[in-house]
């Protein structure tokens, strides 16, 4: 893999209907590249059963989370230990008389797994579901929580590192929501 120029971290919700399934399935993909289009081969490697049938439901460039700049740099042997880490948190919750489990996916900067969980529980999703459902039966929980660097494919981990730099007062990256066909993305110039 050739390393050149500035690269960005992307968080992408991909979807499709694999053979033998009755409903559309989804997962979250993290990748590093110049743009979303560059990540398509890595997305197919991530979920080969959907090659040629995959779409994007939402995505965001991850370069500002709260008061922190997220910077992608070539992997360095002189890497200094970082106090903060970037975490992916997937909250899940239910509503009465609804068979669906709803999810809220977010990235947070924290010093530990426990702090990342605490920050996730400060989200509007958590507060909305927590206050509207008194009993635990319909409450929400942290379904998944990972350090983002652990979710990257080996080709990204072997070449890049995620650096977190304090950068207060900067607006977070926008979330791009809406069905995007991979074929349309690949045809864009």
């Amino acid at each position: 893999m050739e390393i050149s120029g500035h690269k960005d971290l992307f968080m992408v919700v991909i979807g499709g209907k694999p053979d033998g399934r009755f409903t559309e399935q989804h997962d979250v993909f993290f990748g590093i590249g110049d743009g979303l289009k560059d990540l398509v081969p890595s997305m197919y490697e991530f979920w080969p059963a959907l090659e040629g049938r995959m779409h994007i439901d939402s995505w965001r460039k991850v370069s500002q989370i709260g008061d922190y700049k997220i910077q992608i740099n070539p992997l360095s042997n002189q890497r200094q230990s970082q106090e903060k880490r970037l975490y992916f948190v997937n909250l899940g919750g239910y509503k009465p008389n609804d068979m669906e489990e709803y999810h809220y996916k977010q990235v947070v900067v924290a010093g530990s797994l426990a702090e990342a969980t605490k920050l996730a529980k400060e989200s509007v999703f958590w507060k909305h579901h927590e206050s509207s459902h008194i009993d635990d039966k319909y409450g929400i929980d942290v379904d998944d929580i990972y350090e983002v660097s652990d979710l990257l494919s080996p080709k990204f981990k072997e070449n890049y590192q995620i650096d977190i730099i304090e950068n207060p007062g900067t607006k977070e990256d926008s979330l791009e929501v809406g069905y995007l066909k991979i074929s349309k993305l690949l045809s864009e110039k």
Side-chain angles (χ1 to χ4, degrees), residues 60-183:
R60 73 176 283 186
K61 182 167 41 169
V62 182
S63 63
Q64 183 74 28
I65 302 296
D67 289 338
Y68 298 93
K69 178 179 181 177
I70 308 304
Q71 189 171 309
I72 301 303
N73 290 310
L75 190 61
S76 167
N77 290 334
Q78 285 82 28
R79 182 171 186 191
Q80 301 199 351
S81 178
Q82 293 193 90
E83 198 175 293
K84 301 285 186 180
R85 303 259 188 247
L86 182 63
Y87 291 92
F88 164 68
V89 184
N90 183 33
L91 299 175
Y94 299 93
K95 294 180 181 181
N97 301 314
D98 191 335
M99 291 183 75
E100 190 67 40
E101 179 182 9
Y102 295 91
H103 288 94
Y104 180 74
K105 296 159 181 52
Q106 67 188 98
V107 282
V108 298
V109 173
S112 68
L113 206 58
E115 183 187 356
T117 301
K118 180 180 178 271
L119 289 169
K121 289 181 178 182
E122 293 172 4
S123 73
V124 173
F125 179 85
W126 182 277
K127 290 176 183 175
H128 170 74
H129 283 78
E130 216 26 41
S131 63
S132 63
H133 305 299
I134 305 302
D135 60 56
D136 289 336
K137 184 176 180 181
Y138 297 114
I140 67 167
D141 200 4
V142 175
D143 278 358
D144 308 290
I145 185 166
Y146 301 97
E147 196 172 319
V148 170
S149 60
D150 292 338
L151 299 177
L152 294 170
S153 74
K155 75 178 181 183
F156 295 131
K157 286 190 230 187
E158 292 165 1
N159 291 291
Y160 300 103
Q161 64 191 38
I162 299 172
D163 292 323
I164 300 169
I165 303 155
E166 210 164 328
N167 189 32
T170 304
K171 187 179 174 193
E172 283 199 16
D173 310 293
S174 61
L175 180 62
E176 305 295 330
V177 179
Y179 188 89
L180 174 59
K181 286 184 176 183
I182 298 289
S183 58

